[in-house]
């Protein structure tokens, strides 16, 4: 009997144990969009609008100013008037910093994206001490091109810590080695892995400013977040301190420090520019280098900031090397520093003139800053979204009923281009759009409608007919029912998978100003049934009696008169719990939820993003459940 009781007790224990253990395991429960609790004012956007007002310190009038993200993508460009520039732009919420750049002086400034108002010292950069007629740089091809200084003769240009290296660079990426790219270093040419220098370290697809002290098995590197393969000028400074530690500066700012000690080898007797100078040369630089400077002291933060805005004085006793590469020809790189001596021997690299650009079309923008140097009607190109990103417009097509929330009934992949002239006036642009996926079977067309914007798109204005006009290539016609709008794909997008359009538009800036906004929507063959993003208004072809029916909780009164202004988001295309029928996602590649798989299940972070009002998990669209998504064929 005792044995039976013992067995029974053990059985009950095991049942309870495994029952508890099972409850602790993750359960793949299906979630529902209908259960989401989202803020009433959430607009379901993965992007934010910004206005940046820049006050120029120095003489900036007439010069170009450019706005970049930290991946090197050009967001916008404008000319400076009255020493001021205002940028209005839209960026993914996951981006927190941007960069202002002067292509005239090569000066940059980094700052938080939402700073609003900044002062920008346009400076003179390393160009200040040279005339345009002789302003050359040295071009390296990424393989077997370099400059070598004999550091062993005449006492040595550098013989111990401390010292500082500085280099200006411009590159669009690595050469055949497709790896790190060295700027300048001092090395022991007789052994492997003994060198001290600054370089661009390959990190994934990016190349980041880095500093390295290496003596045998000691190898220390620090990098910055900025990708420097953006084909604009940057300055990298590396300080090697008296106690064998290191500091890294990018564009005048201290970025990283390394407090580990690396001893200096007195056998380091060769200084090379363009690759590591040890016994196994590698990491060849590809691009332009200029104004290479060497100090036999540790520069201070203030000195580095000053020498970023203007060239260092050649009479500085501690400036032992200053290589401006202004010879223009030959195989010798001369040292311009008063300390003198130690010219460099050039192998393979060639001289390139980098200033003195002409303005062929006379629009006030130099040719090397003008996207159309032979067309005076336009100068600056902006592409939205920038870089490798696209707009993915994803729709549920059963509005005003909810649908299955897989957001794959119609998906478009789109880029918007805008063109400005030399006076910063918006004159037109182009649209490139692809039918990325069709998961629904209801006959549909696609439309795009243009509005005047206040810059932040919080206020939009209807425009008179033909303020915007369009070219009409295959699959594109001007909309006969809606002002300043086009119809795409012959009103039959469900038969157009992988088809694309590429059309141009003109913009009358005297009527519409210099900021636009475009909404994308789908509609049925009768034109009365439209589906838009949440907060976007219907066109005047829509049947207003459908609003407020079934699951829709929109208003049902609207006017479309030219000159009428309205706020966005407006009260349209939303349920009573603020759920949408469309999502605009900005990413290089979007993986489509499988049929009948709600997006909340296909993307595990979607719920947190939505219920936080877009403040957390802002890159949810980059982290799908791979078993519940796919990439369309042809992508």
């Amino acid at each position: 009997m005792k044995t039976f009781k013992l067995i029974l007790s053990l059985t009950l224990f095991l049942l309870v144990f495994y029952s508890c253990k099972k409850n602790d395991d993750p359960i793949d429960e299906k979630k529902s969009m209908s259960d989401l609790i989202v803020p009433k004012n959430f607009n379901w956007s993965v992007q934010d609008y910004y206005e940046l007002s820049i006050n120029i310190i120095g003489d900036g009038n007439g010069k170009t100013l450019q706005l970049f993200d930290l991946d090197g993508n050009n967001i916008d460009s404008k000319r400076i008037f009255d020493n001021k520039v205002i940028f209005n732009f839209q960026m993914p919420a996951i981006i927190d910093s941007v960069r202002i750049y002067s292509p005239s002086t090569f000066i940059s400034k980094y700052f938080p994206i939402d700073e609003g108002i900044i002062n920008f010292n346009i400076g003179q950069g390393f160009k200040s001490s040279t005339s345009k007629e002789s302003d050359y740089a040295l071009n390296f091809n990424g393989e077997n091109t370099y400059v070598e200084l004999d550091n062993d003769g005449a006492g040595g240009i550098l013989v111990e810590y401390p010292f500082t290296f500085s280099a200006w660079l411009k590159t669009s990426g690595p050469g055949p080695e497709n790896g790190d790219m060295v700027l300048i270093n001092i090395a022991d040419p007789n052994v492997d892995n003994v060198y001290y220098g600054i370089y661009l370290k390959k990190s994934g697809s990016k190349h980041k400013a880095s500093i390295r002290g290496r003596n045998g098995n000691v190898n220390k590197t620090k990098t910055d977040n900025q990708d420097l393969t953006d084909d604009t000028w940057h300055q990298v400074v590396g300080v090697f301190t008296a106690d064998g530690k290191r500091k890294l500066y990018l564009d005048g700012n201290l970025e990283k420090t390394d407090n580990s000690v690396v001893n200096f080898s007195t056998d380091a007797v060769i200084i090379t520019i363009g690759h590591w100078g040890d016994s196994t040369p590698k990491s060849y630089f590809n691009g332009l280098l200029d104004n290479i400077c060497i100090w036999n002291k540790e520069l201070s933060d203030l000195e580095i900031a000053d020498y970023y805005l203007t060239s260092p004085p050649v009479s500085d006793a501690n400036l032992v090397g200053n290589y401006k590469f202004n010879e223009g020809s030959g195989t010798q790189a001369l040292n311009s520093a008063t300390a003198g001596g130690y010219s460099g021997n050039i192998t393979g690299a060639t001289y390139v003139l980098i200033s003195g650009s002409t303005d062929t079309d006379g629009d006030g923008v130099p040719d090397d800053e003008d996207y159309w140097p032979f067309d005076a009607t336009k100068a600056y190109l902006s592409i939205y979204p920038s870089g490798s990103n696209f707009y993915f417009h994803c729709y549920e097509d059963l509005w005003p009923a909810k649908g299955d929330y897989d957001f794959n009934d119609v998906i478009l992949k789109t880029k918007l281009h805008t063109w400005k002239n030399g006076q910063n006036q918006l004159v037109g642009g182009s649209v490139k759009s692809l039918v990325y996926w069709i998961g629904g079977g209801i006959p549909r067309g696609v439309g795009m409608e243009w509005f005047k914007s206040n810059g932040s798109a919080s206020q939009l204005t209807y425009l008179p007919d033909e303020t915007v006009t369009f070219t009409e290539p295959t699959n594109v016609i001007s909309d006969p029912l809606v002002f300043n709008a086009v119809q795409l794909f012959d009103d039959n997008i469900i038969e157009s998978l992988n088809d694309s359009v590429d059309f141009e538009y003109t913009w009358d800036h005297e009527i519409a100003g210099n900021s636009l906004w475009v909404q994308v929507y789908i509609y049925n063959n009768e034109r009365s049934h439209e589906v838009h993003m949440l907060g976007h208004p219907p066109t005047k072809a829509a049947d207003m009696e459908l609003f407020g029916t079934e699951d829709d909780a929109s208003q049902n009164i609207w006017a479309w008169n030219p000159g009428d202004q309205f706020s966005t988001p407006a009260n349209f295309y939303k349920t009573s719990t603020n759920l949408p029928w469309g999502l605009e996602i900005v990413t290089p590649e979007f993986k489509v939820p499988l049929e009948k798989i709600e997006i909340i299940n296909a993307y595990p972070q979607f719920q947190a993003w939505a219920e936080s009002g877009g403040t957390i998990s802002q890159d949810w669209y980059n982290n799908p459940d791979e078993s519940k998504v796919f990439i369309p064929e042809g992508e």
Side-chain angles (χ1 to χ4, degrees):
M1 189 68 175
K2 290 181 179 178
T3 302
F4 174 76
K5 288 181 178 179
L6 178 60
I7 294 172
L8 179 60
S9 297
L10 286 171
T11 303
L12 289 172
F13 172 78
L14 290 172
L15 285 172
V16 171
F17 175 80
Y18 282 110
S19 175
C20 293
K21 187 175 188 302
K22 182 177 180 181
N23 289 338
D24 289 339
D25 288 339
I27 300 174
D28 187 17
E29 294 181 350
K30 289 186 177 179
K31 301 175 182 178
S32 173
M33 287 281 289
S34 297
D35 295 331
L36 284 178
I37 301 175
V38 300
K40 290 183 179 180
N41 61 349
F42 183 37
N43 66 1
W44 294 90
S45 176
V46 301
Q47 298 206 109
D48 292 323
Y49 283 92
Y50 301 93
E51 179 172 290
L52 178 62
S53 181
I54 303 167
N55 300 311
I56 306 299
I57 299 173
D59 183 14
N61 284 323
K63 296 182 173 70
T64 296
L65 203 62
Q66 297 176 331
L67 179 66
F68 287 85
D69 65 24
L70 297 192
D71 286 334
N73 300 312
N74 184 211
I75 303 167
D76 201 359
S77 301
K78 286 188 174 181
R79 278 183 78 194
I80 301 169
F81 294 104
D82 298 324
N83 262 5
K84 188 171 184 177
V85 167
I86 297 178
F87 288 115
N88 294 104
F89 58 101
Q90 186 181 25
M91 292 294 291
I94 58 175
I95 293 178
D96 59 6
S97 298
V98 288
R99 167 189 170 225
I100 290 293
Y101 175 70
S102 166
S104 299
T105 62
F106 308 155
I107 299 298
S108 296
K109 181 171 183 176
Y110 303 82
F111 52 91
I113 195 170
D114 57 357
E115 190 150 326
I117 301 175
I118 68 166
N119 296 321
F120 177 62
N121 189 335
I122 200 166
Q124 294 176 309
F126 68 80
K127 295 164 64 68
S128 62
S129 62
T130 59
S131 65
K132 289 187 176 181
E133 290 74 20
S134 62
D135 198 356
Y136 289 86
L138 209 55
N139 185 34
F140 298 75
N141 67 9
E143 55 178 339
N144 298 319
T145 52
Y146 58 94
V147 177
E148 184 174 292
L149 313 177
D150 183 1
N151 189 52
D152 203 21
I157 191 172
L158 289 179
V159 295
E160 60 183 356
Y161 291 139
F163 57 85
T164 301
F165 287 140
S166 172
W168 284 83
L169 68 112
K170 180 180 180 182
T171 178
S172 58
E177 281 190 358
N178 196 30
D180 298 346
M181 291 190 284
V182 173
L183 306 177
I184 179 173
N185 70 112
I186 184 170
D188 181 346
N190 298 311
V191 298
D192 190 18
N193 295 330
V194 176
Y195 46 75
Y196 314 81
I198 52 177
Y199 69 112
L200 305 188
K201 178 176 177 58
K202 185 176 183 182
S203 178
S205 61
K206 299 180 180 180
H207 281 74
K208 302 177 180 180
S210 303
I211 187 169
R212 174 175 289 179
R214 186 164 191 173
N215 188 345
N217 61 356
V218 178
N219 182 354
K220 296 295 179 181
T221 304
K222 292 291 181 179
T223 65
D224 178 70
N225 290 326
Q226 167 77 40
D227 182 17
L228 300 189
T229 59
D230 56 15
D231 210 24
T232 67
W233 284 97
H234 294 275
Q235 184 203 47
V236 176
V237 177
V239 175
F240 295 79
T241 64
D243 55 4
K245 301 172 184 178
R246 289 157 300 287
K247 295 190 289 184
L248 175 69
Y249 296 77
L250 174 64
D251 294 334
N253 301 306
L254 176 63
E255 294 292 328
K256 301 287 182 178
T257 59
D258 191 334
N259 291 320
S260 60
V261 174
V262 179
N263 293 325
F264 184 78
S265 171
T266 56
D267 292 323
V269 294
I270 293 294
I271 291 179
T272 54
I273 299 167
H275 72 66
W276 293 122
D278 62 341
S279 63
T280 56
K282 56 185 176 297
S283 304
Y284 287 86
F285 183 78
N286 182 56
L288 301 179
L289 292 176
D290 205 355
N291 210 47
I292 304 290
C293 291
I294 305 169
W295 289 265
N296 60 7
K297 72 169 186 176
E298 175 183 347
L299 290 188
S300 68
D301 291 354
L302 181 59
E303 287 175 312
I304 291 171
D306 285 345
Y307 296 162
Y308 177 61
L309 294 175
T310 187
S311 290
V314 295
S315 59
D316 180 353
N318 295 110
L319 179 65
V320 293
N322 187 356
Y323 300 91
K324 299 180 179 180
F325 304 135
N326 283 335
E327 292 74 37
S329 62
T331 60
Q332 289 288 303
L334 301 181
N335 186 355
S336 300
T338 301
Y342 303 101
S343 61
N345 296 312
I346 300 172
T347 298
T350 56
Y351 289 95
V352 175
L353 186 66
I354 62 170
S355 65
S357 175
T358 58
D359 178 13
T360 302
D361 58 17
D363 62 356
V365 181
D367 288 356
D368 54 5
E369 300 166 19
D370 192 334
Y371 195 83
W372 295 274
F374 304 104
D375 184 349
T377 66
K378 49 190 177 181
Y380 300 125
L381 169 68
S382 297
I383 303 176
Y384 304 98
S386 59
S388 60
N389 287 320
F390 292 87
Y391 294 117
F392 289 87
H393 295 97
C394 309
Y395 297 94
E396 283 291 309
D397 65 3
L398 292 182
W399 178 88
K402 285 182 179 178
D404 56 15
Y405 283 122
D406 54 19
F407 287 99
N408 72 9
D409 295 339
V410 174
I411 303 181
L412 293 175
K413 178 181 179 180
T414 303
K415 285 266 196 184
L416 172 68
H417 296 209
T418 64
W419 308 333
K420 295 191 295 292
N421 62 23
Q423 302 300 308
N424 298 332
Q425 295 165 332
L426 184 62
V427 296
S430 66
V431 174
K432 303 176 189 297
S433 190
L434 168 77
V435 183
Y436 187 71
W437 184 248
I438 299 294
I442 300 175
R444 291 287 179 188
V446 178
M448 295 183 180
E449 183 178 14
W450 272 248
F451 298 85
K452 176 182 179 180
S453 170
N454 66 342
S456 66
S458 61
Q459 296 289 323
L460 303 175
T461 305
Y462 284 100
L463 298 169
D465 192 16
E466 296 187 347
T467 302
V468 189
T469 58
F470 307 94
T471 61
E472 298 187 359
T474 304
N475 294 329
V476 178
I477 65 168
S478 297
D479 195 321
L481 300 178
V482 181
F483 289 173
N484 305 303
V486 290
Q487 296 173 288
L488 308 183
F489 306 109
D490 303 322
D491 296 337
N492 193 18
I493 193 174
I494 67 169
E495 300 296 332
S496 302
L497 182 62
N498 292 323
D499 286 351
S500 62
V501 295
D502 184 351
F503 64 95
E504 297 181 356
Y505 62 90
T506 62
W507 176 268
D508 189 337
H509 60 83
E510 292 185 358
I511 297 174
N514 296 307
S515 292
L516 61 75
W517 186 80
V518 180
Q519 70 161 331
V520 182
Y521 50 94
I522 62 175
Y523 55 83
N524 65 357
N525 287 350
E526 289 77 32
R527 294 302 312 275
S528 59
H529 183 282
E530 298 179 353
V531 186
H532 295 239
M533 300 293 152
L534 183 144
H536 294 190
T539 75
K540 64 179 183 178
D543 182 356
M544 296 302 293
E545 292 185 1
L546 293 174
F547 290 96
T549 65
E550 297 194 53
D551 297 307
D552 181 74
S554 305
Q555 66 190 69
N556 58 9
I557 298 175
W558 197 250
W560 300 268
N561 302 315
D564 282 358
Q565 188 178 86
F566 62 92
S567 299
T568 57
N571 188 28
F572 284 111
Y573 295 101
K574 58 195 294 188
T575 69
S576 60
T577 56
N578 200 37
L579 298 184
W581 274 269
L583 291 173
E584 182 185 83
I585 299 163
V586 179
T587 185
E589 178 183 77
F590 179 64
K591 296 182 178 180
V592 180
L594 295 170
E595 185 64 27
K596 304 297 182 182
I597 299 293
E598 292 194 32
I599 197 167
I600 195 174
N601 294 306
Y603 285 85
Q605 297 174 4
F606 182 90
Q607 180 177 2
W609 171 73
E611 293 190 331
S612 71
T615 60
I616 65 175
S617 298
Q618 293 175 331
D619 63 343
W620 63 267
Y621 45 84
N622 291 329
N623 301 289
D625 180 339
E626 296 291 349
S627 68
K628 297 175 182 177
V629 296
F630 67 97
I631 297 176
E633 292 183 10
E635 284 297 304

